[in-house]
Amino acid sequence: MADSEPVPNDESFMRRIARLAGEHPERAAIIFAALSGGEQTLSWATLERQTNQIARLLADRGVSGNSMVVTGVWNSPEMILFTIAAWKLGARVLPLRAILPPRERNAILQLAQPALVLAEWDGLDWPVLAPQALRDTDACSDDPLPDVPHPGKAIGSGGSTGNPKLIIDRAWNPVAGIESGRRLGTRQGQTQLLAAPLYHNSPFLQSFTGLADDHTLLVMEKFDAVRAADLIERYRVSYAYLPPILMRRLALLPDFAQRDFSSFDAMHSSAAVCPVWLKQVWIDKLGPEKVYEVYGSAEGIGSTIIRGDEWLAHWGSVGRSAISEIRILDEARNPLPPGEVGEIFLKRRDGSTPTFHYVGAAPVKFTEHGFASLGDLGWLDEDGYLYIADRRVDMIVSGGANVYPAEVEAALSEHPGLADVVVIGVPDEEWGRRVHAIIEPRDPANPPSIAELNAHVRERIAAWKAPKTYEFVTQLPRNEAGKIRRTALAAERETGRHDGMIRVHG
């Protein structure tokens, strides 16, 4: 299909997949790179046939257009096939991490009330389907299904208070996302590397929008830098979404400079602000016109984009936007001049209202002029380019993933050996910011061991949210109201003005 061919505005994702399967049935739609080292290729004809069969299997299990279904598996053909099959029934899909601790997982499932869960999880109160079951659907018809409206998307979030919530956007669909992708250097027929986990918003959107744009998805079960570089070279990858932590791991390969990435048309990052040095490495590698960065959120309130050539003139910026208005406001909601840090407020320039809603959390508050904020701090330069001062007041962005201190504190505080605990983010070369726990033990002469604390917290929350460093203090500086200034604690540790003992676990 020619790059210049327009995307039909009235064509559903379901019909588009069927049409592409008819146009080039034997072309690869998905190439799966398993952790074991093996590879598996699914043609467009196979994608269409198997998703029709799996949709009928799901319907037999009670899935319908009013359903929510959940995936709890690693990146895999099964996860992608299951998602498309559910969409063909009009069911909404919520992707979750495969190894969530049971308590956190069950809290999210309680909000979702799924009709079916694709996972290898035991003891659930909801119906479970093992991924292996999707490989035995020969008895199901592969005839096309009636077209249904796309159900939108669902993404899980830890919530600013540590309580989980769901972000539901009924209006999103992969075909409509193609136009947005053009602003990030995408084109029809690319080979897209899917290296980040599909339970995060950006890779989820990019991968399925890519299929709608006739991409071949090169899917990594889990990321490995050497394997990723090999795949890029061998399959001549032309597009990829890479959060900064994956960009860094690739850039630190001993032979990164010698690797042939000349096939790239574009790559883009988001999830965390890309460090200046790392952005420069990738600009030098690919060329400034091929490196993009996005600032936004799963809620879709607004976004900014910056390309490498713009970034070179505005070092550290996350860009500006033709589709969003940006205002930086102080605590009294007064506009701040360029160069002053305040809360970032966004509004869609076309005046349309964001189509998301929360399950498990209060709605986002809008100003009288229709602007909304998710709590991020930043500033604008004289040219209207946005710079992020902090992703959120308390939130820690570690390796591109959002970690909420309240959730980690709640898990740690259950340990009987702790009198008090506060969790902050501190700078880290590998993770951007690492989760750091400041502990006040009940018995300062006999504090809990790091191994004991690690085991305790990882039984309660996902391992990637657990502290990477611990510090023991005699007393935490809470005020008479019981509040504590995390920002002050973090600033002291960034400047070295503290005398706590830090113990690092591997």
Side-chain angles (χ1 to χ4, degrees):
M1 187 177 291
D3 292 350
S4 58
E5 182 174 332
V7 177
N9 293 327
D10 59 349
E11 186 176 39
S12 70
F13 177 72
M14 181 174 170
R15 292 296 173 234
R16 188 163 177 79
I17 294 298
R19 179 166 65 79
L20 293 172
E23 291 177 356
H24 41 64
E26 301 308 316
R27 186 187 297 176
I30 298 170
I31 301 171
F32 176 58
L35 190 62
S36 64
E39 294 180 10
Q40 175 188 359
T41 299
L42 276 71
S43 69
W44 280 94
T46 300
L47 178 71
E48 170 66 6
R49 182 181 70 255
Q50 290 191 355
T51 52
N52 288 339
Q53 292 174 318
I54 293 170
R56 289 182 166 87
L57 173 67
L58 302 189
D60 289 343
R61 297 294 187 103
V63 177
S64 69
N66 297 318
S67 299
M68 173 85 80
V69 298
V70 168
T71 62
V73 295
W74 299 111
N75 289 1
S76 61
E78 288 77 17
M79 191 278 184
I80 295 171
L81 293 170
F82 181 91
T83 297
I84 296 174
W87 286 345
K88 287 187 172 185
L89 296 174
R92 192 170 296 112
V93 180
L94 172 65
L96 296 180
R97 186 180 174 91
I99 55 172
L100 281 173
R103 186 168 68 173
E104 181 181 357
R105 177 195 69 201
N106 291 342
I108 296 173
L109 292 176
Q110 186 65 43
L111 292 175
Q113 292 293 306
L116 190 63
V117 178
L118 181 75
E120 294 179 338
W121 296 337
D122 297 324
L124 295 189
D125 294 331
W126 296 271
V128 179
L129 183 69
Q132 294 82 354
L134 303 186
R135 303 169 191 166
D136 186 22
T137 56
D138 289 343
C140 299
S141 169
D142 62 3
D143 290 340
L145 287 92
D147 202 2
V148 296
H150 195 277
K153 66 166 184 171
I155 294 293
S157 172
S160 58
T161 63
N163 297 318
K165 68 174 182 286
L166 307 182
I167 305 169
I168 310 292
D169 187 345
R170 299 180 186 276
W172 176 83
N173 75 81
V175 174
I178 294 173
E179 183 178 351
S180 298
R182 292 291 181 266
R183 294 191 289 270
L184 298 172
T186 66
R187 60 174 176 78
Q188 292 180 16
Q190 289 173 311
T191 297
Q192 178 187 153
L193 176 67
L194 175 57
L198 276 165
Y199 56 81
H200 284 310
N201 185 62
S202 289
F204 186 86
L205 269 57
Q206 293 302 118
S207 60
F208 289 102
T209 296
L211 283 175
D213 205 13
D214 200 11
H215 287 192
T216 294
L217 287 187
L218 181 53
V219 180
M220 297 188 71
E221 183 176 9
K222 294 183 182 179
F223 181 80
D224 173 82
V226 173
R227 183 89 181 277
D230 290 343
L231 292 169
I232 290 168
E233 290 183 322
R234 183 150 54 92
Y235 287 101
R236 305 298 293 163
V237 166
S238 47
Y239 175 77
Y241 163 78
L242 295 171
I245 190 169
L246 301 192
M247 294 170 63
R248 184 179 191 274
R249 290 174 178 174
L250 280 165
L252 292 180
L253 289 174
D255 61 348
F256 180 73
Q258 288 73 47
R259 289 287 191 163
D260 180 8
F261 289 1
S262 61
S263 57
F264 269 100
D265 297 322
M267 63 80 63
H268 99 264
S269 66
S270 64
V273 178
C274 189
V276 168
W277 73 267
L278 184 59
K279 176 68 75 67
Q280 188 66 61
V281 165
W282 279 86
I283 286 175
D284 292 342
K285 181 71 173 177
L286 303 183
E289 72 284 354
K290 296 183 179 181
V291 179
Y292 295 79
E293 185 171 356
V294 175
Y295 166 75
S297 68
E299 288 85 350
I301 289 173
S303 64
T304 65
I305 297 173
I306 193 165
R307 201 172 72 171
D309 47 358
E310 290 181 282
W311 183 89
L312 290 171
H314 300 270
W315 271 41
S317 173
V318 294
R320 55 184 179 178
S321 177
I323 64 171
S324 303
E325 293 184 53
I326 306 171
R327 288 185 181 176
I328 307 297
L329 305 181
D330 64 17
E331 291 184 0
R333 299 294 183 260
N334 298 312
L336 291 171
E340 290 198 25
V341 174
E343 192 169 350
I344 302 166
F345 282 77
L346 297 165
K347 181 176 74 170
R348 294 181 179 180
R349 196 174 293 276
D350 62 6
S352 62
T353 302
T355 52
F356 77 96
H357 70 276
Y358 291 143
V359 176
V364 169
K365 294 181 179 179
F366 289 83
T367 70
E368 60 178 326
H369 301 294
F371 285 81
S373 169
L374 298 174
D376 295 357
L377 304 177
W379 56 278
L380 296 171
D381 67 15
E382 295 286 350
D383 297 321
Y385 282 82
L386 179 65
Y387 298 75
I388 307 301
D390 198 349
R391 284 289 289 185
R392 283 177 196 165
V393 175
D394 292 329
M395 187 180 73
I396 305 164
V397 181
S398 184
N402 298 339
V403 181
Y404 293 92
E407 183 181 13
V408 186
E409 290 168 2
L412 280 168
S413 65
E414 294 182 27
H415 193 286
L418 272 58
D420 202 357
V421 57
V422 66
V423 171
I424 60 173
V426 295
D428 187 274
E429 289 188 359
E430 170 76 0
W431 297 92
R433 297 189 78 80
R434 72 176 180 272
V435 181
H436 178 70
I438 307 173
I439 303 293
E440 181 183 329
R442 290 187 182 275
D443 181 2
N446 186 30
S449 70
I450 299 300
E452 182 181 352
L453 289 173
N454 278 338
H456 172 87
V457 74
R458 291 175 186 222
E459 288 176 358
R460 290 159 172 79
I461 59 174
W464 57 270
K465 299 178 183 178
K468 292 182 172 59
T469 50
Y470 292 83
E471 174 184 346
F472 293 84
V473 298
T474 303
Q475 186 176 16
L476 281 165
R478 294 190 183 274
N479 64 19
E480 61 276 8
K483 296 182 179 181
I484 196 163
R485 292 182 61 203
R486 288 192 182 91
T487 53
L489 292 175
E492 289 172 0
R493 279 139 189 85
E494 290 185 23
T495 59
R497 293 195 300 271
H498 71 290
D499 57 1
M501 177 175 60
I502 299 177
R503 300 177 180 177
V504 181
H505 71 73

